[in-house]
Coordinates of all heavy atoms in Angstrom, one line a residue:
M26 N 0.9 -1.2 0.1 CA 0.0 0.0 0.0 C 0.9 1.2 0.1 O 1.9 1.3 0.8 CB -0.9 0.0 1.2 CG -1.7 1.2 1.5 SD -2.8 1.1 2.9 CE -2.2 0.0 4.1
S27 N 0.5 2.2 -0.9 CA 1.3 3.5 -0.9 C 0.3 4.6 -0.9 O -0.9 4.4 -1.0 CB 2.2 3.5 -2.1 OG 1.5 3.3 -3.3
F28 N 0.9 5.8 -0.7 CA 0.1 7.0 -0.6 C 0.6 8.1 -1.7 O 1.8 8.1 -2.0 CB 0.2 7.6 0.9 CG -0.3 6.8 1.8 CD1 0.5 5.8 2.5 CD2 -1.7 6.8 2.3 CE1 0.0 5.0 3.5 CE2 -2.2 6.0 3.2 CZ -1.3 5.1 3.9
I29 N -0.4 8.9 -2.1 CA 0.0 10.0 -2.9 C -0.7 11.3 -2.4 O -1.8 11.2 -1.8 CB -0.3 9.8 -4.4 CG1 -1.9 9.6 -4.6 CG2 0.3 8.6 -5.1 CD1 -2.4 9.7 -6.1
F30 N 0.0 12.3 -2.7 CA -0.6 13.6 -2.3 C -0.8 14.4 -3.5 O -0.1 14.4 -4.5 CB 0.4 14.5 -1.4 CG 0.9 13.8 -0.1 CD1 1.8 12.8 -0.1 CD2 0.3 14.3 1.1 CE1 2.1 12.3 1.2 CE2 0.6 13.7 2.2 CZ 1.5 12.7 2.2
K31 N -2.0 14.9 -3.6 CA -2.4 15.8 -4.7 C -3.3 16.9 -4.4 O -4.1 16.7 -3.5 CB -2.9 14.9 -5.9 CG -4.3 14.3 -5.7 CD -4.7 13.6 -7.0 CE -6.2 13.2 -6.9 NZ -6.6 12.8 -8.1
I32 N -3.4 17.9 -5.2 CA -4.3 19.0 -5.0 C -5.7 18.5 -5.5 O -5.8 17.9 -6.6 CB -3.9 20.2 -5.8 CG1 -2.6 20.7 -5.4 CG2 -5.0 21.4 -5.7 CD1 -2.5 21.2 -3.9
I33 N -6.8 18.7 -4.7 CA -8.1 18.3 -5.0 C -8.6 19.4 -6.1 O -8.4 20.7 -5.8 CB -9.0 18.4 -3.8 CG1 -8.5 17.2 -2.9 CG2 -10.4 18.0 -4.1 CD1 -9.2 17.3 -1.4
E34 N -9.1 18.9 -7.2 CA -9.6 19.7 -8.2 C -10.8 20.6 -7.7 O -11.6 20.1 -6.8 CB -10.1 18.9 -9.4 CG -9.0 18.1 -10.1 CD -7.9 18.9 -10.7 OE1 -8.3 20.1 -11.2 OE2 -6.7 18.6 -10.8
K35 N -11.0 21.8 -8.2 CA -12.0 22.7 -7.8 C -13.4 22.1 -8.0 O -14.2 22.3 -7.1 CB -12.0 24.0 -8.6 CG -10.8 24.8 -8.3 CD -10.9 26.1 -9.1 CE -9.6 26.9 -8.7 NZ -9.6 28.2 -9.4
D36 N -13.6 21.3 -9.0 CA -15.0 20.7 -9.2 C -15.1 19.4 -8.3 O -16.2 18.9 -8.2 CB -15.2 20.3 -10.6 CG -14.2 19.3 -11.2 OD1 -13.1 19.1 -10.6 OD2 -14.5 18.7 -12.2
E37 N -14.2 19.1 -7.5 CA -14.3 17.9 -6.6 C -14.1 18.4 -5.1 O -14.1 17.5 -4.2 CB -13.1 16.9 -6.9 CG -13.3 16.2 -8.2 CD -12.3 15.2 -8.5 OE1 -11.5 15.0 -7.6 OE2 -12.2 14.7 -9.6
I38 N -14.0 19.7 -4.9 CA -13.8 20.2 -3.5 C -14.9 19.7 -2.5 O -14.6 19.6 -1.3 CB -13.6 21.7 -3.5 CG1 -13.0 22.2 -2.2 CG2 -14.9 22.5 -3.8 CD1 -11.6 21.8 -2.0
H39 N -16.1 19.5 -3.0 CA -17.1 19.1 -2.0 C -17.0 17.7 -1.5 O -17.7 17.3 -0.5 CB -18.5 19.3 -2.6 CG -18.9 20.8 -2.9 ND1 -19.6 21.2 -3.9 CD2 -18.4 21.9 -2.2 CE1 -19.8 22.5 -3.8 NE2 -19.0 22.9 -2.8
T40 N -16.1 17.0 -2.1 CA -15.8 15.6 -1.6 C -15.3 15.6 -0.1 O -15.4 14.5 0.5 CB -14.9 14.8 -2.5 OG1 -13.6 15.4 -2.5 CG2 -15.5 14.6 -3.8
I41 N -14.7 16.7 0.3 CA -14.1 16.7 1.6 C -15.1 17.2 2.7 O -14.8 17.1 3.9 CB -12.8 17.7 1.7 CG1 -13.2 19.1 1.5 CG2 -11.8 17.1 0.7 CD1 -12.0 20.0 1.7
I42 N -16.3 17.5 2.3 CA -17.3 18.0 3.3 C -17.5 17.0 4.4 O -17.6 17.4 5.6 CB -18.5 18.5 2.6 CG1 -18.2 19.9 1.9 CG2 -19.7 18.7 3.5 CD1 -19.3 20.4 1.1
P43 N -17.7 15.7 4.1 CA -18.0 14.8 5.2 C -16.9 14.8 6.3 O -17.2 14.7 7.5 CB -18.2 13.5 4.6 CG -18.6 13.8 3.2 CD -17.9 15.1 2.7
L44 N -15.6 14.9 5.9 CA -14.5 15.1 6.8 C -14.6 16.3 7.6 O -14.4 16.3 8.8 CB -13.2 14.8 6.1 CG -12.0 15.1 6.9 CD1 -11.9 14.0 8.1 CD2 -10.8 15.1 6.1
V45 N -14.9 17.4 7.0 CA -14.9 18.7 7.7 C -16.1 18.7 8.6 O -15.9 19.2 9.8 CB -15.0 19.8 6.6 CG1 -15.2 21.2 7.3 CG2 -13.7 19.8 5.7
E46 N -17.2 18.2 8.2 CA -18.3 18.0 9.1 C -17.9 17.3 10.4 O -18.2 17.8 11.5 CB -19.5 17.3 8.6 CG -20.3 17.9 7.6 CD -21.5 17.1 7.2 OE1 -21.2 16.0 6.6 OE2 -22.6 17.4 7.4
K47 N -17.3 16.2 10.2 CA -16.9 15.3 11.4 C -15.9 16.1 12.3 O -15.9 16.1 13.5 CB -16.3 14.0 10.9 CG -16.0 13.0 12.0 CD -15.7 11.6 11.4 CE -15.6 10.7 12.6 NZ -15.4 9.3 12.1
L48 N -15.0 16.8 11.6 CA -13.9 17.4 12.4 C -14.5 18.6 13.2 O -13.9 19.0 14.2 CB -12.8 17.9 11.4 CG -11.9 16.9 10.9 CD1 -11.0 17.4 9.7 CD2 -11.1 16.1 11.8
N49 N -15.6 19.1 12.7 CA -16.2 20.2 13.5 C -17.5 19.8 14.3 O -18.3 20.6 14.7 CB -16.7 21.3 12.4 CG -15.5 22.1 11.9 OD1 -14.9 22.8 12.6 ND2 -15.3 22.0 10.6
D50 N -17.5 18.5 14.5 CA -18.7 17.9 15.4 C -20.0 18.3 14.8 O -21.0 18.6 15.6 CB -18.5 18.4 16.8 CG -17.5 17.6 17.6 OD1 -17.2 16.4 17.2 OD2 -17.0 18.1 18.5
Y51 N -20.1 18.4 13.4 CA -21.4 18.7 12.7 C -22.1 20.0 13.2 O -23.3 20.2 13.2 CB -22.3 17.5 13.0 CG -21.7 16.2 12.5 CD1 -21.0 15.4 13.3 CD2 -21.8 15.9 11.1 CE1 -20.5 14.2 12.8 CE2 -21.3 14.7 10.7 CZ -20.6 13.9 11.5 OH -20.0 12.8 11.0
K52 N -21.1 21.0 13.7 CA -21.7 22.3 14.1 C -22.0 23.2 13.0 O -22.7 24.3 13.2 CB -20.7 22.9 15.1 CG -20.5 22.1 16.4 CD -19.5 22.7 17.3 CE -19.3 21.9 18.5 NZ -18.1 22.4 19.3
V53 N -21.5 23.0 11.8 CA -21.7 23.8 10.6 C -22.5 23.1 9.6 O -22.2 21.9 9.3 CB -20.4 24.2 10.0 CG1 -20.6 25.1 8.8 CG2 -19.5 24.9 11.1
S54 N -23.5 23.7 9.2 CA -24.5 22.9 8.1 C -23.7 22.7 6.9 O -22.8 23.3 6.4 CB -25.7 23.8 7.9 OG -25.4 24.9 7.0
V55 N -24.2 21.6 6.2 CA -23.7 21.2 4.9 C -23.8 22.4 3.9 O -22.8 22.7 3.2 CB -24.4 19.9 4.3 CG1 -23.9 19.7 2.8 CG2 -24.0 18.8 5.2
N56 N -24.9 23.1 3.9 CA -25.1 24.3 3.0 C -24.1 25.3 3.3 O -23.5 25.9 2.3 CB -26.5 24.8 3.1 CG -27.5 23.8 2.5 OD1 -27.2 23.1 1.6 ND2 -28.7 23.9 3.0
D57 N -23.8 25.6 4.5 CA -22.8 26.6 4.8 C -21.4 26.2 4.4 O -20.6 27.0 3.8 CB -22.8 26.9 6.3 CG -24.0 27.7 6.8 OD1 -24.6 28.4 5.9 OD2 -24.3 27.8 8.0
L58 N -21.1 24.9 4.6 CA -19.8 24.4 4.2 C -19.6 24.5 2.7 O -18.6 25.0 2.1 CB -19.6 23.0 4.7 CG -19.4 22.9 6.2 CD1 -19.4 21.3 6.5 CD2 -18.1 23.5 6.7
K59 N -20.7 24.2 1.9 CA -20.5 24.2 0.5 C -20.4 25.7 0.0 O -19.6 25.9 -0.9 CB -21.9 23.7 -0.2 CG -22.0 22.1 -0.1 CD -23.3 21.7 -0.7 CE -23.4 20.1 -0.6 NZ -24.7 19.7 -1.2
E60 N -21.1 26.5 0.7 CA -21.0 28.0 0.3 C -19.6 28.5 0.6 O -19.0 29.1 -0.2 CB -22.0 28.8 1.0 CG -22.1 30.2 0.7 CD -23.2 31.0 1.4 OE1 -24.4 30.5 1.4 OE2 -23.0 32.0 1.9
R61 N -19.0 28.0 1.7 CA -17.7 28.5 2.1 C -16.7 28.0 1.2 O -15.7 28.6 0.7 CB -17.3 28.1 3.5 CG -18.1 28.8 4.5 CD -17.9 28.4 6.0 NE -18.8 29.0 6.9 CZ -18.8 28.8 8.2 NH1 -18.0 27.8 8.7 NH2 -19.6 29.4 9.0
F62 N -16.8 26.7 0.7 CA -15.8 26.0 -0.1 C -15.9 26.7 -1.6 O -15.0 26.9 -2.3 CB -16.0 24.6 -0.2 CG -15.3 23.9 1.0 CD1 -16.1 23.3 2.0 CD2 -13.9 23.9 1.1 CE1 -15.5 22.7 3.0 CE2 -13.3 23.3 2.2 CZ -14.1 22.6 3.2
N63 N -17.2 27.0 -2.0 CA -17.3 27.7 -3.2 C -16.6 29.0 -3.3 O -16.0 29.4 -4.3 CB -18.9 27.9 -3.5 CG -19.5 26.6 -3.9 OD1 -18.9 25.7 -4.3 ND2 -20.9 26.5 -3.8
D64 N -16.7 29.8 -2.2 CA -16.1 31.1 -2.0 C -14.5 30.8 -2.1 O -13.8 31.6 -2.7 CB -16.5 31.8 -0.7 CG -17.9 32.2 -0.8 OD1 -18.5 32.4 -1.8 OD2 -18.4 32.6 0.3
M65 N -14.1 29.8 -1.4 CA -12.6 29.6 -1.3 C -12.0 29.4 -2.6 O -11.0 29.8 -2.9 CB -12.3 28.5 -0.3 CG -12.5 28.9 1.1 SD -12.5 27.5 2.3 CE -10.9 27.0 2.1
V66 N -12.6 28.4 -3.4 CA -12.1 28.0 -4.7 C -12.1 29.2 -5.6 O -11.2 29.3 -6.5 CB -12.7 26.8 -5.3 CG1 -12.4 25.6 -4.5 CG2 -14.1 27.0 -5.6
T67 N -13.1 30.2 -5.5 CA -13.0 31.4 -6.4 C -11.9 32.4 -6.0 O -11.6 33.2 -6.8 CB -14.4 32.0 -6.4 OG1 -14.6 32.4 -5.1 CG2 -15.5 31.1 -6.8
Q68 N -11.4 32.2 -4.8 CA -10.4 33.0 -4.3 C -9.0 32.3 -4.4 O -8.0 32.7 -3.7 CB -10.6 33.4 -3.0 CG -11.8 34.3 -2.8 CD -12.2 34.6 -1.3 OE1 -11.3 34.7 -0.5 NE2 -13.4 34.9 -1.1
N69 N -8.9 31.2 -5.2 CA -7.7 30.5 -5.5 C -7.1 29.7 -4.4 O -5.9 29.5 -4.3 CB -6.6 31.3 -6.1 CG -7.1 31.8 -7.5 OD1 -7.7 31.1 -8.3 ND2 -6.8 33.1 -7.8
Y70 N -7.9 29.4 -3.4 CA -7.5 28.5 -2.2 C -7.4 27.2 -2.9 O -8.1 26.9 -3.8 CB -8.5 28.4 -1.1 CG -8.6 29.5 -0.2 CD1 -9.1 30.8 -0.5 CD2 -7.9 29.4 1.1 CE1 -9.0 31.9 0.4 CE2 -8.0 30.5 2.0 CZ -8.5 31.7 1.7 OH -8.5 32.8 2.6
E71 N -6.5 26.3 -2.3 CA -6.3 24.9 -2.8 C -6.4 24.0 -1.5 O -6.0 24.4 -0.5 CB -5.0 24.8 -3.5 CG -5.0 25.5 -4.8 CD -3.7 25.2 -5.6 OE1 -2.6 25.3 -5.0 OE2 -3.7 25.0 -6.8
C72 N -6.8 22.8 -1.8 CA -6.8 21.9 -0.8 C -6.1 20.6 -1.2 O -6.4 20.1 -2.3 CB -8.3 21.5 -0.5 SG -8.6 20.3 0.9
A73 N -5.2 20.0 -0.4 CA -4.5 18.9 -0.8 C -5.1 17.7 -0.1 O -5.7 17.8 1.0 CB -3.0 19.0 -0.3
G74 N -5.1 16.6 -0.8 CA -5.6 15.3 -0.2 C -4.5 14.3 -0.2 O -3.6 14.3 -1.0
I75 N -4.7 13.3 0.7 CA -3.8 12.2 0.8 C -4.6 11.0 0.4 O -5.6 10.8 0.9 CB -3.3 11.9 2.2 CG1 -2.5 13.2 2.7 CG2 -2.4 10.7 2.2 CD1 -2.2 13.2 4.1
Y76 N -4.2 10.2 -0.7 CA -5.0 9.2 -1.2 C -4.1 7.9 -1.0 O -2.9 7.8 -1.3 CB -5.2 9.4 -2.8 CG -6.0 10.6 -2.9 CD1 -5.4 11.8 -3.1 CD2 -7.3 10.5 -3.1 CE1 -6.2 13.0 -3.3 CE2 -8.2 11.6 -3.3 CZ -7.6 12.8 -3.4 OH -8.3 14.0 -3.6
M77 N -4.9 6.8 -0.6 CA -4.2 5.5 -0.3 C -4.4 4.7 -1.7 O -5.5 4.6 -2.2 CB -4.9 4.8 0.8 CG -4.3 3.4 1.1 SD -4.9 2.7 2.5 CE -6.7 3.0 2.5
I78 N -3.3 4.2 -2.2 CA -3.2 3.4 -3.4 C -3.2 2.0 -3.0 O -2.2 1.5 -2.4 CB -2.0 3.8 -4.3 CG1 -2.0 5.2 -4.6 CG2 -2.1 2.9 -5.5 CD1 -3.2 5.8 -5.3
M79 N -4.2 1.2 -3.3 CA -4.2 -0.3 -3.0 C -3.6 -1.0 -4.1 O -4.0 -0.9 -5.3 CB -5.7 -0.7 -2.9 CG -6.5 0.1 -1.8 SD -5.8 0.0 -0.1 CE -6.2 -1.7 0.2
E80 N -2.6 -1.7 -3.7 CA -1.9 -2.5 -4.8 C -2.3 -3.9 -4.7 O -2.6 -4.5 -3.7 CB -0.4 -2.3 -4.5 CG 0.1 -1.0 -4.6 CD 1.6 -0.7 -4.1 OE1 2.2 -1.7 -3.6 OE2 2.0 0.5 -4.2
H81 N -2.4 -4.5 -5.9 CA -2.8 -5.9 -6.0 C -1.7 -6.8 -5.9 O -0.6 -6.8 -6.3 CB -3.5 -6.1 -7.3 CG -4.8 -5.3 -7.4 ND1 -5.8 -5.4 -6.6 CD2 -5.0 -4.3 -8.3 CE1 -6.7 -4.5 -6.9 NE2 -6.3 -3.8 -7.9

């Protein structure tokens, strides 16, 4: 098993919302998070992800 680091594409930024919800104890609504991430990507913020590569 190996890992790669890569920038999450702007059109995939909402894939991190479940993690952000959990990290914030679900105190921020999904709609608010989506709005915040939409604002962030228009301001050229980037988010990196760590992906596990399953080898056969």
